[in-house]
């Protein structure tokens, strides 16, 4: 189990979009490392997409279909980044409580 039976929100969803959690004593275990790697990929993808979004929005010739595709991609990236932020914020709070 994680410290004080705390669960880690994983960077992917389960069936029907429900959140997935990890309970482990080993922050360097296989599933923890997998979650860390996926979070890193998600954050990198979001950074690249943000750069692309700036270019697309500056282009006066961007058509409606490209803008819709961009909006869908940005929505997915924002969802991923929000999940990472929620998970990491929760892990920080747990860590701070343990330090008391």
């Amino acid at each position: 189990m994680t410290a004080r039976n705390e669960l880690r929100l994983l960077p992917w969803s389960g069936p029907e979009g429900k959140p997935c959690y990890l309970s482990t004593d080993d922050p360097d275990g296989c599933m923890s490392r997998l979650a860390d790697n996926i979070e890193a990929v998600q954050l990198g993808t979001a950074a690249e997409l943000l750069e692309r979004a700036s270019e697309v929005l500056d282009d006066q010739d961007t058509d409606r279909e490209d803008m819709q595709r961009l909006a869908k991609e940005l929505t997915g990236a924002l969802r991923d980044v929000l999940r990472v932020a929620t998970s990491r914020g929760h892990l920080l709070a747990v860590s701070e409580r343990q330090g008391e």
Side-chain angles (χ1 to χ4, degrees):
M1 294 292 244
T2 56
R4 295 189 188 176
N5 296 326
E6 296 291 339
L7 300 176
R8 177 183 179 171
L9 176 64
L10 294 172
W12 56 81
S13 298
E16 300 173 14
K18 294 183 180 179
C20 292
Y21 296 91
L22 174 64
S23 175
T24 183
D25 285 330
D26 187 2
D28 295 320
C30 179
M31 289 301 294
S32 293
R33 287 192 321 269
L34 176 62
D36 291 342
N37 289 337
I38 289 175
E39 286 179 351
V41 168
Q42 289 173 326
L43 293 174
T45 299
E48 291 171 7
L49 185 56
L50 181 59
E51 224 174 277
R52 195 173 103 226
S54 294
E55 294 168 2
V56 169
L57 292 172
D58 287 341
D59 183 357
Q60 298 296 322
D61 295 328
T62 301
D63 64 18
R64 180 178 169 86
E65 187 176 306
D66 288 338
M67 289 296 262
Q68 286 178 325
R69 185 178 321 110
L70 175 63
K72 287 179 183 179
E73 291 173 0
L74 285 168
T75 300
L78 182 58
R79 184 178 299 114
D80 291 343
V81 168
L82 180 58
R83 184 185 308 267
V84 171
T86 300
S87 177
R88 291 187 182 183
H90 183 72
L91 291 174
L92 283 173
V94 168
S95 177
E96 288 175 358
R97 285 194 306 259
Q98 288 175 344
E100 293 177 348

